[in-house]
Amino acid sequence: MTDPAPTLAPVRLTSLSHGGGCGCKIAPGVLQQILQSSAAGFIPPELMVGTETSDDAAVYRLNDAQALVATTDFFMPIVDDPYDFGRIAAANALSDVYAMGGRPIMALALLAMPVARLSLETIGEIVRGGEAICREAGIPIAGGHTIDSVEPIYGLVAMGLVHPSRVKRNAGARAGDVLILGKRLGVGVLSAALKKNALDADGYRELVASTTQLNTPGIQLAEMPGVHALTDVTGFGLAGHTLELARAAGLKAVVRYADLPLLPAVAQLATQGYVTGASGRNWAAYGAEVALDAGLPTVARDLVADPQTSGGLLVSCDADSADAVLAIFHAQGFDHACLIGHMQAAEAPALAVV
């Protein structure tokens, strides 16, 4: 007869991790140094997208009609509810496939858990949360890998398909393009407030609703010739990912701060000091390339650098396509998608927040 598993005391998931969600990302400057020191490997001609512009996923051409989109994303808990944690992590990983214009086809689970600290029921709820989001996306979790870990970590290897001519990159923005953002900002602020028990029930519902909404508009956006560049806003914040668009195209991005959609109570919470350490690390890495208008509130810097977990799609498209892009977002339940700025010619890549 086997001994029953020991009963473990309940524990807050966020208390087991030193950071949560995409705020766990290595700071952009440190990551750049790491990648600079790695030698370039073999690059086959079928590899359409690799690491050259820090894009959202790799893309490998299979034939004239299909290209494989492959990516992976995983992180430590951003919330304490295990089921919600699994859902958020899965939606975040699948977002990179949608950001390339791909349609997900399957996923593999990555699970690292402190099995001496968390009950099997809690770990099972994390897995079930991930499975629920994959069912919503219409794909199976076809396998994966597990290890015993000091901190809880969950995520996916996500794979999708896209026509080679419809791959949307973070490169390709053109002068005169307008910028459209699909989701509201402030996930990092809300998660910081949650960790300090300062987030109310309404704020928590908004946090989970935003981070579990699949970025499915990417599939239709890939079919639009007027969409020139596409990415999703995650751990480097709106400023970091907009800068990636600008660098890849050699342009200047101009973002209107007053037009940025924010999750409820985010501005107030940020003013009260509920910001993540990742926000400061982000700004230290790329702040020199960002011009903040002198008339903006002090908190503007924290909000544009705020790390987003499972954030919205950022679209650079010609002005004539803007209404059609917004219609796609709104038809799929992205009620707060809106115009936030434009791209213009410049001597050097940059971002201005006005």
Side-chain angles (χ1 to χ4, degrees):
M1 181 175 179
T2 59
D3 294 329
T7 301
L8 299 175
V11 60
R12 291 187 66 184
L13 285 179
T14 54
S15 71
L16 297 177
S17 60
H18 72 277
C22 286
C24 299
K25 277 189 174 182
I26 293 175
V30 177
L31 179 60
Q32 185 179 23
Q33 293 179 43
I34 292 171
L35 295 178
Q36 283 178 343
S37 65
S38 67
F42 168 66
I43 301 177
E46 295 84 3
L47 185 64
M48 298 178 63
V49 182
T51 62
E52 54 277 359
T53 61
S54 302
D55 223 321
D56 299 295
V59 181
Y60 188 93
R61 185 186 185 101
L62 299 175
N63 50 54
D64 290 344
Q66 294 177 311
L68 176 69
V69 182
T71 183
T72 184
D73 211 317
F74 50 88
F75 47 60
M76 291 165 281
I78 187 175
V79 296
D80 292 312
D81 183 279
Y83 186 75
D84 286 342
F85 170 41
R87 294 169 66 214
I88 293 168
N92 178 74
L94 292 175
S95 180
D96 287 339
V97 174
Y98 294 124
M100 304 302 296
R103 183 182 299 275
I105 55 172
M106 73 172 184
L108 307 175
L110 301 172
L111 184 72
M113 290 289 143
V115 294
R117 300 289 305 278
L118 292 178
S119 69
L120 297 183
E121 180 181 1
T122 296
I123 296 172
E125 281 295 294
I126 295 170
V127 173
R128 282 188 283 277
E131 290 172 342
I133 285 294
C134 287
R135 280 197 302 274
E136 186 178 333
I139 65 169
I141 294 181
H145 188 63
T146 62
I147 62 168
D148 190 357
S149 171
V150 176
E151 294 179 293
I153 298 170
Y154 180 69
L156 301 176
V157 174
M159 286 159 279
L161 291 175
V162 64
H163 193 284
S165 68
R166 294 176 181 170
V167 174
K168 296 298 181 182
R169 304 191 57 177
N170 65 0
R174 302 177 187 177
D177 278 1
V178 296
L179 294 173
I180 294 175
L181 181 63
K183 289 186 184 182
R184 292 179 289 181
L185 301 169
V187 170
V189 170
L190 295 186
S191 66
L194 175 67
K195 198 160 187 176
K196 296 179 181 179
N197 295 311
L199 187 66
D200 61 22
D202 288 339
Y204 182 79
R205 280 193 292 272
E206 294 282 0
L207 169 65
V208 173
S210 178
T211 53
T212 56
Q213 187 175 22
L214 289 169
N215 277 322
T216 52
I219 298 172
Q220 282 186 261
L221 294 175
E223 300 174 359
M224 298 183 62
V227 172
H228 300 142
L230 186 62
T231 189
D232 60 347
V233 179
T234 53
F236 299 152
L238 176 68
H241 293 285
T242 306
L243 266 173
E244 288 180 342
L245 292 184
R247 290 168 180 160
L251 300 173
K252 178 180 180 179
V254 180
V255 167
R256 297 181 299 272
Y257 181 77
D259 291 339
L260 296 182
L262 299 178
L263 288 160
V266 161
Q268 178 183 352
L269 288 168
T271 302
Q272 295 170 352
Y274 294 104
V275 295
T276 68
S279 177
R281 293 191 296 273
N282 282 343
W283 191 258
Y286 55 62
E289 297 175 78
V290 182
L292 289 178
D293 189 88
L296 295 178
T298 305
V299 76
R301 193 199 83 171
D302 294 322
L303 293 179
V304 297
D306 186 53
Q308 304 304 291
T309 299
S310 192
L313 294 176
L314 179 62
V315 185
S316 181
C317 66
D318 61 51
D320 291 340
S321 300
D323 287 344
V325 168
L326 287 171
I328 288 172
F329 275 115
H330 296 159
Q332 296 190 38
F334 291 78
D335 299 334
H336 300 281
C338 62
L339 285 163
I340 64 166
H342 65 275
M343 305 295 289
Q344 64 185 45
E347 293 183 1
L351 167 63
V353 183
V354 300

